[in-house]
Amino acid sequence: MPSTADDPDGLELELLLEAVHRRYGLDFRGYATASLRRRVWRRVTLEGLQTVTGLTDRILHDPRVLERLLKDLSINVTEMFRDPSFHGALREAAIPLLRTYPFVRVWNAGCSTGEEAYSLAIALHEAGLLERSRIYATDMNEGALAQARTGSFPLERMQVYTENYQRAGGARSLSEYYVARGASAVFDPMLARNMVFAHHNLVSDRSFNEFHLIVCRNVMIYFGRELQRHVHELFLDSLVPLGLLGLGRKEAIQPPEIAACYQPLVASEKLFRRRT
Ligand SMILES: C[S@@+](CC[C@H](N)C(=O)[O-])C[C@H]1O[C@@H](n2cnc3c(N)ncnc32)[C@H](O)[C@@H]1O
């Protein structure tokens, strides 16, 4: 995101990201500029400031301001069985392949508050594979992970999630998996038995295992091209031969030399299989 002399806004943004990186070791320098700029400016306004440089000054001296900016930059919107046709493709095309392994390791990267990981767990459970699977669900946002570890989601969302689940080919009633407690739907702990929620930053942390399936949806849309390449290298490095990769609707594998390492499993759902 190199700024130019006639783009002082861009320069201020660059300096802010450099400051956050050097002071706190958090690297947003490769994120896509347009959405980053919008979010940073929102924070400038909410802090009652006039400029991005003013925000840099605050952040350097007050980690609480950084915390607030982090919340703005980490968009945690998620759903159970989000894009049901993707989860349908997982059931129909991916699970039969996963079934051939004696043990299945799944990495749900950018899991947010856990709805996606629980959706994967339900699909594996219904296929009889959950017992011999382990789901590693990771995110850079500790607050989101803390929420995910509770295994409970807003009860008011259950109607939408039930429809998603059914459209994704769910064979039962979603309500079999949770009990209502106050405003929450508390999910059956059986689903989380082989699930680990852990902090992992796709920008700066390395691979930590070899996986049969990596699901990373709606995360890389916020990344610039170089960062996307970095993460795709990481994923290629983290998949077993013939391992599976699921991306979000608007995402693609790039650059072309990494894309060439995969074949589409269900092209329309951005579900891929490593060629070797
Ligand atoms: C929009 S949510 C997507 C959640 C879920 N995958 C889905 O599709 O519903 C994006 C998530 O990516 C996480 N994220 C963003 N940058 C990240 C990074 N560098 N490393 C790990 N997680 C990141 C955010 O914290 C957020 O929880």
Side-chain angles (χ1 to χ4, degrees), residues 31 74-76 78 82 110 112 116 139 200-202 217-218:
Y31 279 48
S74 155
I75 306 102
N76 295 120
T78 188
R82 182 178 191 174
S112 187
E116 194 168 56
D139 203 281
H200 182 280
N201 191 325
L202 290 164
R217 308 193 71 233
N218 309 303

Side-chain angles (χ1 to χ4, degrees), residues 27-28 31 70 73-80 82-83 87 107-117 138-142 144-145 199-205 215-223 227 231 248 251:
D27 195 354
F28 291 97
Y31 279 48
L70 286 184
L73 295 184
S74 155
I75 306 102
N76 295 120
V77 176
T78 188
E79 271 183 16
M80 287 190 86
R82 182 178 191 174
D83 302 324
H87 288 272
W107 182 9
N108 182 198
C111 67
S112 187
T113 41
E115 285 83 340
E116 194 168 56
T138 63
D139 203 281
M140 69 167 188
N141 184 317
E142 289 287 4
L145 288 169
H199 184 266
H200 182 280
N201 191 325
L202 290 164
V203 179
S204 46
D205 294 328
V215 174
C216 182
R217 308 193 71 233
N218 309 303
V219 180
M220 278 187 273
I221 34 168
Y222 302 109
F223 292 0
L227 188 50
V231 176
E251 293 162 334

Side-chain angles (χ1 to χ4, degrees), residues 147-182:
Q147 174 61 44
R149 288 189 189 101
T150 68
S152 62
F153 308 116
L155 191 58
E156 63 183 22
R157 301 289 291 147
M158 287 306 130
Q159 196 180 338
V160 171
Y161 295 174
T162 298
E163 284 163 21
N164 285 354
Y165 165 76
Q166 280 160 357
R167 286 170 55 206
R172 308 181 186 182
S173 161
L174 188 63
S175 60
E176 287 181 33
Y177 294 106
Y178 65 84
V179 290
R181 209 167 283 156

Side-chain angles (χ1 to χ4, degrees), residues 25-241:
L26 294 166
D27 195 354
F28 291 97
R29 294 173 301 173
Y31 279 48
T33 318
S35 121
L36 200 65
R37 202 184 278 237
R38 250 192 339 269
R39 286 165 209 288
V40 165
W41 267 107
R42 182 172 171 274
R43 182 46 47 198
V44 169
T45 310
L46 288 173
E47 297 292 329
L49 299 164
Q50 308 302 320
T51 61
V52 173
T53 301
L55 184 64
T56 306
D57 181 43
R58 283 271 173 93
I59 282 176
L60 281 173
H61 299 103
D62 186 350
R64 288 169 306 179
V65 183
L66 175 75
E67 280 302 313
R68 295 199 282 271
L69 177 67
L70 286 184
K71 285 212 179 90
D72 301 330
L73 295 184
S74 155
I75 306 102
N76 295 120
V77 176
T78 188
E79 271 183 16
M80 287 190 86
F81 300 96
R82 182 178 191 174
D83 302 324
S85 55
F86 171 82
H87 288 272
L90 266 187
R91 262 178 209 269
E92 281 170 27
I95 285 192
L97 296 174
L98 296 178
R99 198 183 285 292
T100 62
Y101 298 107
F103 194 79
V104 181
R105 284 184 299 276
V106 178
W107 182 9
N108 182 198
C111 67
S112 187
T113 41
E115 285 83 340
E116 194 168 56
Y118 272 81
S119 309
L120 296 172
I122 289 172
L124 289 166
H125 170 69
E126 292 184 0
L129 292 183
L130 189 59
E131 283 292 308
R132 55 181 162 110
S133 302
R134 176 152 288 221
I135 300 172
Y136 299 83
T138 63
D139 203 281
M140 69 167 188
N141 184 317
E142 289 287 4
L145 288 169
Q147 174 61 44
R149 288 189 189 101
T150 68
S152 62
F153 308 116
L155 191 58
E156 63 183 22
R157 301 289 291 147
M158 287 306 130
Q159 196 180 338
V160 171
Y161 295 174
T162 298
E163 284 163 21
N164 285 354
Y165 165 76
Q166 280 160 357
R167 286 170 55 206
R172 308 181 186 182
S173 161
L174 188 63
S175 60
E176 287 181 33
Y177 294 106
Y178 65 84
V179 290
R181 209 167 283 156
S184 298
V186 182
F187 274 71
D188 191 334
M190 156 288 277
L191 293 170
R193 246 195 339 240
N194 293 333
M195 206 186 276
V196 182
F197 285 103
H199 184 266
H200 182 280
N201 191 325
L202 290 164
V203 179
S204 46
D205 294 328
R206 297 195 178 182
S207 174
F208 56 96
N209 214 324
E210 273 208 317
F211 300 95
H212 303 92
L213 167 67
I214 298 177
V215 174
C216 182
R217 308 193 71 233
N218 309 303
V219 180
M220 278 187 273
I221 34 168
Y222 302 109
F223 292 0
R225 288 187 85 76
E226 262 317 297
L227 188 50
Q228 288 184 33
R229 169 202 276 271
H230 168 80
V231 176
H232 277 298
E233 280 169 358
L234 176 71
F235 287 167
L236 194 59
D237 222 32
S238 308
L239 276 175
V240 298

